[in-house]
């Protein structure tokens, strides 16, 4: 009996090899709530003190690095942010190249059968990796290092190209029966086609190519952004402008027929581009999915599985206009990261459900064996562990913004003022035929900005 109880405890502890006890009994989104609250209250030092600092063997190590990097960016600690972003990128490259990755993944999958999906090493999905490279690019831009920024932009574009290639191999008509029992996330996904194509990263890419006078590359990426956000009036003008500049007469005629005439830039004018990121990407919450499962005795029973889901309503931007040089200028969305996050989760549902079913069967077999060998004590221990450890994996990069929008305006060369909400006015300079980037971040009571001449 005593030996069986010891084995029971060892079994329970074996499920914690890559996660801590706090992770075992508290889901990730819940743990991050105080951090997000501190940022929203403009208490960045408190947010830094609350953020986890996991070891490299922790299953959420890479996610932890992303969160820390983002907070460093919010506190204008760009060098620290770049170091952590580069660490994530390097480790992701190593994971892709390592021949032993399949064995490692197999061991993690087995470990997860005794705990929950949080025991599996977190691999940032494509939309998070493209944002990583976008933030790295911006940090180079703030130092006027356009070449360094373009390296990151190419990496961001490769992330999306690779994801598109991988998804083209999937058969869209192949559906998992369990998805029929899953709540709809259509309100959050906003009808996006996939969880990785991001018009914001394409727009940033095009803008940097334009500043580097690589106009063909800029034109290609403006078109990619427009394909994702066809109603964005600034993107419409961008593709018309560059189609004309590069002599693509047929495409110029097609675009002007679709979107109207081109607004020409006067010789003594330049352009200001405002990029505004707002809010936080929503958290995943847990819900109980009831599924019919065949038992070993040949009958069918309904079991409840703890699964992640996005239940929030679609994000409504509190700031929809900026005032540039005394003119009210509308912001046009480039990306809703909530939509990419929800679509990514939607695409992961079949695999998550499969693991949950296998986990349920595995835990039930272990419980039955412990009850047989250790009696009521073993049964009680197993039941307590099973109930406590059965939780949804709600991990995602939770310090990302929800929406990023753009406003673009031509102005006479010289000094101008931008006003946004109740924030102090922001002074900026426009040069003849030049580009001025104003990057704004607004998260409730937190506000920050950067002004750069491109």
């Amino acid at each position: 009996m005593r030996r069986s109880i010891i084995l029971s405890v060892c079994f329970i502890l074996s499920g914690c090899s890559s996660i801590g006890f706090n992770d075992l009994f508290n889901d990730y989104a819940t743990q991050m709530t105080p951090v997000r609250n501190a940022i929203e209250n403009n208490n960045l030092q408190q947010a830094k003190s609350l953020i986890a600092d996991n070891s490299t063997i922790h299953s959420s190590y890479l996610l932890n690095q992303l969160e820390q990097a983002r907070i460093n960016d919010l506190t204008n600690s760009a060098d620290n942010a770049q170091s952590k972003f580069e660490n994530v990128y390097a480790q992701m490259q190593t994971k892709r190249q390592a021949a032993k990755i399949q064995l490692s993944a197999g061991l993690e999958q087995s470990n997860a059968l005794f705990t929950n999906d949080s025991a599996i090493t977190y691999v940032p999905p494509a939309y998070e990796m493209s944002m990583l490279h976008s933030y790295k690019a911006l940090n180079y831009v703030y130092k006027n290092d356009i070449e360094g920024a373009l390296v990151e932009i190419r990496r961001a574009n490769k992330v999306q190209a690779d994801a598109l290639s991988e998804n083209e191999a999937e058969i869209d008509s192949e559906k998992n029966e369990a998805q029929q029992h899953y709540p709809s996330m259509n309100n959050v996904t906003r009808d996006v086609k996939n969880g990785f194509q991001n018009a914001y990263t394409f727009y940033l890419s095009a803008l940097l190519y334009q500043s580097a006078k690589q106009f063909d590359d800029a034109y290609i990426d403006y078109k990619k952004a427009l394909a994702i956000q066809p109603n964005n009036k600034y993107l419409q003008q961008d593709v018309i402008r560059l189609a004309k500049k590069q002599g693509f007469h047929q495409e110029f005629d097609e675009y002007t027929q679709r979107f109207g005439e081109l607004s020409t830039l006067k010789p003594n004018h330049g352009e200001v581009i405002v990029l505004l990121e707002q809010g936080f990407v929503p958290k995943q919450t847990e819900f109980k999915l009831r599924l019919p499962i065949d038992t070993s005795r040949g009958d069918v029973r309904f079991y409840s599985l703890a699964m992640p889901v996005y239940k929030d309503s679609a994000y409504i931007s509190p700031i929809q206009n900026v005032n540039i040089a005394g003119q009210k200028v509308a912001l046009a969305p480039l990306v809703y990261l909530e939509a990419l996050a929800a679509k990514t989760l939607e695409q992961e549902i079949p695999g998550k459900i499969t693991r949950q079913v296998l986990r349920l069967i595995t835990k039930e077999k272990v419980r039955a064996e412990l009850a047989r060998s250790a009696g009521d004590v073993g049964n009680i221990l197993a039941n307590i562990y099973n109930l406590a450890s059965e939780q949804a994996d709600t991990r995602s990069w939770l310090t990302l913004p929800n929406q990023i929008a753009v406003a673009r305006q031509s102005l006479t060369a010289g000094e101008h003022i931008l006003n946004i909400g109740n924030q102090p006015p922001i002074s900026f300079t426009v040069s003849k035929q030049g580009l001025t980037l104003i990057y704004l971040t607004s998260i409730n009571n937190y506000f920050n900005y950067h002004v750069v001449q491109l």
Side-chain angles (χ1 to χ4, degrees):
M1 169 79 72
R2 183 179 178 183
R3 182 182 179 186
S4 297
I5 294 174
I6 292 174
L7 289 173
S8 302
V9 174
C10 290
F11 149 70
I12 291 172
L13 292 176
S14 71
C16 308
S17 58
S18 62
I19 57 177
F21 276 101
N22 188 42
D23 303 298
L24 188 62
F25 303 122
N26 292 284
D27 71 284
Y28 182 79
T30 299
Q31 294 179 49
M32 280 295 294
T33 297
V35 177
R36 285 162 49 113
N37 289 342
I39 295 172
E40 288 183 327
N41 291 325
N42 198 22
N43 193 336
L44 276 296
Q45 292 307 312
Q46 183 184 26
K48 275 189 173 183
S49 69
L50 291 172
I51 196 75
D53 190 15
N54 296 325
S55 69
T56 56
I57 64 170
H58 195 285
S59 61
S60 297
Y61 173 70
L62 294 183
L63 178 56
N64 176 242
Q65 291 285 290
L66 291 174
E67 305 285 19
Q68 289 188 18
R70 172 67 170 160
I71 292 178
N72 281 323
D73 263 349
L74 295 176
T75 56
N76 297 319
S77 303
D79 290 342
N80 291 333
Q82 293 292 74
S83 175
K84 293 185 183 299
F85 282 141
E86 184 61 27
N87 179 34
V88 174
Y89 171 71
Q91 294 217 24
M92 286 294 290
Q93 290 296 96
T94 300
K95 284 180 178 296
R96 292 190 182 97
Q97 296 168 6
K100 61 182 181 181
I101 186 64
Q102 293 301 323
L103 173 61
S104 174
L107 292 174
E108 289 180 348
Q109 296 281 346
S110 298
N111 192 36
L113 293 180
F114 295 102
T115 53
N116 53 57
D117 274 8
S118 297
I120 301 173
T121 294
Y122 185 83
V123 176
Y127 80 91
E128 292 184 356
M129 288 303 296
S130 67
M131 289 302 298
L132 175 154
H133 293 301
S134 296
Y135 283 133
K136 285 195 71 183
L138 284 170
N139 283 329
Y140 282 119
V141 168
Y142 300 153
K143 293 182 178 181
N144 294 306
D145 183 355
I146 299 301
E147 285 303 314
L150 287 173
V151 170
E152 295 303 325
I153 281 303
R154 294 185 189 103
R155 289 175 175 177
N157 289 346
K158 187 177 187 304
V159 167
Q160 298 189 69
D162 289 348
L164 181 61
S165 176
E166 291 168 4
N167 278 263
E168 283 177 346
E170 296 180 357
I171 302 174
D172 292 336
S173 60
E174 186 176 304
K175 299 293 182 181
N176 189 293
E177 179 185 354
Q179 286 181 281
Q180 299 175 7
H181 304 271
Y182 220 87
S184 172
M185 292 182 281
N186 290 341
N187 190 41
V188 182
T189 57
R190 298 173 181 264
D191 298 322
V192 295
K193 295 179 179 179
N194 55 58
F196 51 84
Q197 286 188 301
N198 185 337
Y200 160 72
T201 54
F202 284 131
Y203 185 85
L204 182 61
S205 172
L207 189 62
L208 294 180
Y209 279 130
Q210 183 179 347
S211 73
K213 302 189 184 307
Q214 299 178 28
F215 297 114
D216 281 347
D217 291 327
Y219 181 56
I220 290 170
D221 282 353
Y222 277 135
K223 288 202 299 181
K224 289 179 179 178
L226 181 64
I228 300 170
Q229 293 286 357
N231 297 321
N232 188 304
K233 63 180 182 180
Y234 303 112
L235 288 173
Q236 294 170 0
Q237 284 291 302
D238 290 330
V239 294
I240 296 173
R241 183 186 307 109
L242 282 183
K244 181 178 181 179
K245 182 177 181 62
Q246 297 306 98
F248 301 132
H249 303 297
Q250 182 177 346
E251 292 188 21
F252 174 77
D253 291 340
E254 291 175 357
Y255 284 130
T256 52
Q257 288 178 11
R258 286 175 60 188
F259 303 128
E261 294 299 317
L262 172 65
S263 298
T264 57
L265 185 65
K266 297 177 182 178
N268 64 333
H269 278 54
E271 289 186 285
V272 58
I273 300 94
V274 178
L275 290 173
L276 169 64
E277 54 180 32
Q278 298 186 69
F280 276 134
V281 68
K283 299 181 293 185
Q284 297 175 19
T285 58
E286 180 179 285
F287 89 105
K288 297 297 183 181
L289 175 65
R290 286 181 55 80
L291 285 180
I293 298 175
D294 293 328
T295 68
S296 58
R297 291 175 295 192
D299 57 339
V300 177
R301 292 186 182 181
F302 276 86
Y303 288 87
S304 292
L305 308 180
M307 299 296 295
V309 70
Y310 286 100
K311 291 183 178 178
D312 293 352
S313 299
Y315 182 73
I316 299 176
S317 310
I319 303 173
Q320 299 186 0
N321 302 279
V322 291
N323 189 294
I324 301 175
Q327 303 177 60
K328 183 179 179 181
V329 182
L331 289 157
L334 286 171
V335 65
Y336 288 95
L337 286 167
E338 64 175 1
L340 301 188
K343 195 65 177 182
T344 296
L345 175 59
E346 192 175 83
Q347 293 165 340
E348 293 173 346
I349 287 172
K352 287 181 177 290
I353 290 175
T354 299
R355 286 193 299 274
Q356 285 286 69
V357 171
L358 291 174
R359 182 179 302 120
L360 186 151
I361 294 171
T362 300
K363 286 183 175 181
E364 176 58 25
K365 287 182 178 179
V366 173
R367 184 209 60 77
E369 177 58 27
L370 288 175
R372 184 191 64 78
S373 60
D376 290 342
V377 175
N379 187 47
I380 291 170
L381 278 173
N383 275 322
I384 291 174
Y385 177 77
N386 289 348
L387 288 172
S389 63
E390 185 56 36
Q391 65 177 15
D393 179 11
T394 59
R395 291 178 298 174
S396 66
W397 188 358
L398 289 178
T399 47
L400 282 175
N402 195 313
Q403 183 207 62
I404 304 178
V406 63
R408 190 161 179 158
Q409 183 78 4
S410 70
L411 296 170
T412 56
E415 298 293 321
H416 296 281
I417 296 293
L418 180 144
N419 294 98
I420 177 171
N422 297 320
Q423 301 299 328
I426 299 171
S427 300
F428 63 95
T429 303
V430 171
S431 59
K432 292 180 181 179
Q433 299 296 302
L435 299 172
T436 301
L437 172 65
I438 303 179
Y439 199 95
L440 310 171
T441 301
S442 176
I443 310 171
N444 200 8
N445 292 324
Y446 171 88
F447 182 80
N448 198 8
Y449 71 92
H450 297 268
V451 179
V452 186
Q453 299 295 326
L454 296 179

